[in-house]
Amino acid sequence: MVRWMTALVGLLAVGCGSAVGNIGRFDASGFRHERYRYGVQAGPDGAILSRDWRLDNFQQTSRRTVPKSGPAYRSDVGFDTDGDGEIDQHVELNRYDLRYRHVRNRGSIWLSTIPLSTNLSQTDLRVLMRDYVDAVSGAGFVGVNFGGTVVAGIERRFATRILDSQVITVHGLPGFAATVEVANVDQMQLSPDSRWERARVVLIRTPFEYAPPRSLTTVRDTHYPVVMLVGYTNLPEDFDAGLPDFVRFVNQIVFADAPPETPPGVQVVSSEPAPPAAAPPQAPPPAPPPPPAVAEPQDANEQRGPPSAEPPSPTPL
């Protein structure tokens, strides 16, 4: 069992900033990313989320706060460096910019900035969301990156379905949000009553670009577009209770280069009906019983017993 870290006491205290490697920095105003010009503001209570949530993807060492580096917190992302359509080099990146875990249930809220291949730079966010949901069916929510990352050593099959979706903007940047459910197919075949996990996922097209280390590319000035993936997962019975915290989290994301007249927070542009949900996989039904044996026809001239006085009555239905 993973041991989730306790809250970092005083992390958001005034004048008590804490460097966290190449991800970002916390201070009294909230979180600021080191590479990309965005942040997550603290609320009026001085915290990004309430005490029900614990920061998970950092750990406190004897000297400083550093990002966790285990397999669950790092991603292997592939890059096509020469434009031939094939992955040439890989780089290991932090899976999360921020990740929080709920202290009493299985809730998780996370934010990731993910480089895209250049051929995806103009792809509609609606299509990227569908690709993401399809990829979840092979790796689960935490095992997916748009670089094709799957959690190593884990082979699981998931069924996914989109419940609803919306075209949105986040501080003026285009976005797409969807509510998704996922279930382990193997567990469902053993028990049809297995519960689905529910998620609210937001994709945001950012103005950021990722430049890989020079040792990884043969093309000068190679840059990759970056999307922001913000998500919340929980069991269905706990999902609604934690959803307001996720909405607050998304509304607290700010972009340094947003125009002054940009409306703050999340604005809904339009809602889209969910596509028809595929029926969840079921265990195969039992084989039907064999048909009853049919008596061999008798010869018309052969008599086996006294004739009946009257024909038998039909069996009632």
Side-chain angles (χ1 to χ4, degrees), residues 223-294:
H223 295 82
Y224 299 94
V226 172
V227 293
M228 180 176 289
L229 179 67
V230 195
Y232 161 58
T233 62
N234 213 332
L235 295 176
E237 60 266 31
D238 297 320
F239 182 83
D240 289 344
L243 188 59
D245 290 330
F246 176 67
V247 172
R248 165 184 167 174
F249 183 81
V250 177
N251 276 278
Q252 290 170 182
I253 299 173
V254 293
F255 297 90
D257 299 325
E261 67 276 8
T262 299
V266 177
Q267 305 291 323
V268 176
V269 177
S270 66
S271 296
E272 297 187 355
Q282 302 289 339
V294 180

Side-chain angles (χ1 to χ4, degrees), residues 52-72:
D52 290 334
W53 300 88
R54 298 291 184 262
L55 185 63
D56 171 68
N57 62 317
F58 297 107
Q59 61 184 353
Q60 183 70 50
T61 68
S62 58
R63 295 184 177 181
R64 57 178 182 154
T65 302
V66 296
K68 292 183 179 180
S69 57

Side-chain angles (χ1 to χ4, degrees), residues 5-41:
M5 66 179 295
T6 58
L8 302 178
V9 179
L11 195 58
L12 298 179
V14 175
C16 188
S18 177
V20 287
N22 63 346
I23 297 183
R25 176 180 295 273
F26 291 92
D27 58 28
S29 63
F31 171 81
R32 294 292 177 269
H33 199 276
E34 289 284 310
R35 179 190 294 268
Y36 305 125
R37 290 171 55 82
Y38 87 90
V40 182
Q41 291 181 326

